[in-house]
Amino acid sequence: MKISNSHQKGEVKILFIKDKKISQLTKTQKDTLSLLGFEGIGNIFIPENKTFVIGIDKSLQDFPNTLRDSLAQAIMSLKKLKIKSISLEAQSLQEIKEICEGILLGNYTFDTFKNEKNKSNLKEVYIHAPTLDKKAVDSLIAQIQIIANSVNTTRELINTPPMEATPEYIVNFVKNLSKEIGFECKVHNTQFLEKEKMGAFLAVSKASCHNPYLVHLTYKPKTSKKSNLKKFVFVGKGLTYDCGGLSLKPSDYMTTMKADKSGACAVIGIVDSLARLGIEAEIHGILGLTENMIGGNAYKPDDILIARNGKSIEVRNTDAEGRLVLADCLSYASDLKPDFLIDLATLTGACVVALGDYTMGIMGYNPKLKEDFLKIASSAGELGGILPFNPYLKKLYKSEVADLCNIPSSRYGSAITAGMFLGEFVAESLLQKWLHLDIAGPAYVEKSWGVNPFGATGAGVRACIEFVKQKA
Ligand code: BES
Ligand code: ZN
Ligand code: ZN
């Protein structure tokens, strides 16, 4: 799909109606809409005028995703028609940003395995912006194209079934990407994990027939005007499959667990965009890639693991594996002494219970950092909710036989206790610089919503890119 800043007329014109104000329509258009029972809210196509009307609900006008979502929904309908080009008008750069995001994200579809492809006929979008600076509009469109491509790359990786998207597959994918764009990609294998004494990560990977990898991506700008580059480290949970291990998941809960690699795939998308944008910051991406499986060699409830930072962990449930992999990855990441340390993980079902499908949990020890992230995520089109840590919860993951237990003694607040557990593996000097994002809800949804078609959404990618852009 090509979006250009041009006066060219598309085959179909997109018209926005805010607050049911249909006064801008011609009499024939009004008559057709009234005949179709359209009352000013929702999308409708008027074939004889070749006009696609997007009616924006007044109650949603202040919701930051309204324009993006309407465009995405419009694209999902339009691409099924035999229309090759559309045109629309925009009044501000912010509007252009939201319009482009809606179009490019709404146009994604995962049909690799379908014989009948969901082919889109729509190829060209012309945006008329006579009142805006042409250079600024062109550069903005180019930026949004990069970011939307990264979100779609993340979605594609997550959607790829677990028989194909193994840890090795992700490694090869990101190796090729790093060569194409020019960032560093170090792949660490089992021997490295053993040398680093990553006993928690290694335990999770034991029963899988696929080798685990810790991948370390690094991007640094080739030249920079800044003397002091900020360092951002992103850590991603990359369980290419989570069947629960010996604490096996019931079948209904096992499906969709190919998406348990969403954190790592989001980190790939984040580094991809920031490198392509040539951002003036040092960016690291740490991926913890493995599978949580069953077998004679599987780690067990009752095992006691020693993590990289020396803390011992009693395993009481092998399905709480993400925090074990991340424990060692966060300890490794702490050594990089970042200015910001952010982990992304489909960590707990409890976070979905707390916030619902569409919202990521934002956790950490620094109130301002959490608030800042929440605001930035929202401006980037992603929903977040802060789940507060408190010292009373700490006793819930105490163990009688080890320093910590991998599950809390109460299920209440267990998105928070999982987050606090992760904090035990972040260097103390970095706790104020650390954020934990639980993306279990929004990363993969089995229905289309907002700018997202069925399946993987790329949750966290846009929010983190915007965060770096604002904090670098
Ligand atoms: N990968 C799951 C969490 C998850 C659940 C992600 C639903 C996406 C959707 C995680 O590894 C897990 O199984 N967590 C357990 C923890 C429990 C055993 C303490 C959970 O949330 O039930
Ligand atoms: Zn699990
Ligand atoms: Zn998991």
Side-chain angles (χ1 to χ4, degrees):
M1 174 94 69
K2 188 162 170 262
I3 302 186
S4 46
N5 175 15
S6 142
H7 292 292
Q8 220 166 311
K9 252 176 113 181
E11 271 178 76
V12 166
K13 187 177 174 195
I14 307 270
L15 206 64
F16 299 103
I17 298 183
K18 286 182 188 160
D19 205 6
K20 300 189 184 178
K21 281 191 187 122
I22 51 170
S23 46
Q24 49 181 313
L25 302 179
T26 63
K27 165 122 187 20
T28 351
Q29 284 174 330
K30 280 184 201 160
D31 290 346
T32 316
L33 289 180
S34 125
L35 209 68
L36 294 168
F38 180 78
E39 290 182 345
I41 296 170
N43 295 346
I44 197 156
F45 182 43
I46 317 175
E48 59 265 54
N49 298 94
K50 297 217 169 165
T51 304
F52 191 94
V53 179
I54 298 181
I56 294 178
D57 189 346
K58 190 174 182 214
S59 67
L60 289 178
Q61 272 176 27
D62 296 327
F63 181 56
N65 291 354
T66 300
L67 195 54
R68 295 177 175 95
D69 292 358
S70 324
L71 259 302
Q73 299 302 326
I75 288 300
M76 289 179 202
S77 326
L78 279 165
K79 70 182 190 186
K80 293 178 197 143
L81 309 178
K82 290 208 165 122
I83 295 161
K84 291 197 191 72
S85 62
I86 55 171
S87 50
L88 45 86
E89 253 169 58
Q91 319 300 337
S92 68
L93 289 175
Q94 183 62 23
E95 247 182 45
I96 293 187
K97 178 173 185 284
E98 294 174 14
I99 289 169
C100 293
E101 283 181 4
I103 293 173
L104 295 168
L105 297 176
N107 194 41
Y108 172 81
T109 173
F110 178 65
D111 60 7
T112 318
F113 293 84
K114 275 184 176 283
N115 279 309
E116 206 175 301
K117 305 286 179 201
N118 302 325
K119 257 209 300 206
S120 170
N121 296 303
L122 197 57
K123 297 283 179 276
E124 298 269 359
V125 178
Y126 305 117
I127 300 185
H128 304 183
T131 58
L132 303 173
D133 175 55
K134 185 165 173 357
K135 258 195 176 160
V137 174
D138 287 342
S139 134
L140 179 66
I141 294 177
Q143 275 196 40
I144 302 301
Q145 236 141 4
I146 290 178
I147 296 169
N149 268 339
S150 298
V151 174
N152 290 338
T153 298
T154 298
R155 287 169 165 182
E156 188 74 12
L157 276 174
I158 299 168
N159 283 327
T160 303
M163 58 184 284
E164 190 174 328
T166 59
E168 198 178 347
Y169 176 96
I170 309 277
V171 163
N172 289 332
F173 180 90
V174 74
K175 259 192 198 164
N176 290 335
L177 192 69
S178 71
K179 277 186 210 138
E180 183 194 326
I181 313 172
F183 59 80
E184 194 185 318
C185 172
K186 273 198 189 141
V187 179
H188 297 299
N189 62 13
T190 309
Q191 284 71 44
F192 176 87
L193 304 187
E194 282 165 354
K195 191 179 102 266
E196 290 283 313
K197 299 194 165 56
M198 295 187 167
F201 188 161
L202 279 164
V204 173
S205 65
K206 272 170 72 182
S208 172
C209 63
H210 301 291
N211 291 324
Y213 294 99
L214 184 150
V215 178
H216 183 162
L217 311 173
T218 311
Y219 158 79
K220 288 179 193 164
K222 295 206 170 61
T223 54
S224 173
K225 282 169 233 123
K226 287 187 185 168
S227 55
N228 222 347
L229 284 184
K230 290 256 170 64
K231 196 190 282 185
F232 295 80
V233 178
F234 295 96
V235 177
K237 169 176 173 182
L239 266 289
T240 59
Y241 205 67
D242 176 15
C243 77
L246 290 178
S247 314
L248 195 64
K249 283 183 186 293
S251 325
D252 284 355
Y253 290 86
M254 206 185 289
T255 36
T256 76
M257 279 303 137
K258 67 172 180 181
D260 215 20
K261 57 185 180 303
S262 296
C265 297
V267 172
I268 295 174
I270 293 163
V271 177
D272 178 49
S273 258
L274 293 172
R276 286 180 200 268
L277 293 170
I279 206 90
E280 297 223 11
E282 186 175 323
I283 312 292
H284 295 260
I286 312 297
L287 321 175
L289 301 171
T290 188
E291 255 189 352
N292 187 22
M293 298 301 283
I294 51 171
N297 192 30
Y299 83 124
K300 308 167 186 71
D302 287 350
D303 276 346
I304 297 177
L305 318 173
I306 312 293
R308 182 180 185 271
N309 72 348
K311 291 192 182 177
S312 60
I313 309 166
E314 176 193 2
V315 177
R316 288 182 79 90
N317 189 318
T318 60
D319 198 12
E321 85 300 335
R323 65 198 75 186
L324 299 174
V325 172
L326 287 177
D328 285 335
C329 291
L330 283 166
S331 155
Y332 173 90
S334 293
D335 289 359
L336 299 168
K337 300 196 169 38
D339 294 298
F340 297 95
L341 172 60
I342 302 183
D343 75 75
L344 296 98
T346 45
L347 201 66
T348 65
C351 194
V352 196
V353 174
L355 297 171
D357 265 336
Y358 311 117
T359 305
M360 71 172 101
I362 301 172
M363 290 165 249
Y365 286 102
N366 181 334
K368 172 148 190 326
L369 186 58
K370 289 185 285 185
E371 289 291 346
D372 283 359
F373 191 89
L374 175 62
K375 277 200 202 111
I376 291 172
S378 156
S379 76
E382 293 201 58
L383 306 185
I386 294 173
L387 298 178
F389 287 173
N390 73 66
Y392 306 117
L393 290 169
K394 202 171 163 151
K395 59 181 173 297
L396 297 186
Y397 54 87
K398 274 221 148 118
S399 161
E400 292 293 330
V401 293
D403 300 333
L404 305 161
C405 178
N406 85 323
I407 53 163
S409 54
S410 158
R411 60 194 181 92
Y412 298 129
S414 51
I416 300 177
T417 45
M420 289 175 68
F421 179 93
L422 294 184
E424 298 284 337
F425 302 89
V426 173
E428 217 168 310
S429 59
L430 292 175
L431 283 174
Q432 291 294 313
K433 300 176 176 177
W434 166 63
L435 280 179
H436 160 55
L437 308 177
D438 192 331
I439 54 170
Y444 193 92
V445 182
E446 289 191 283
K447 52 190 174 287
S448 171
W449 60 285
V451 295
N452 306 296
F454 178 102
T457 62
V461 176
R462 282 181 291 153
C464 290
I465 293 169
E466 190 57 34
F467 182 80
V468 174
K469 281 171 84 179
Q470 295 202 19
K471 298 282 183 185

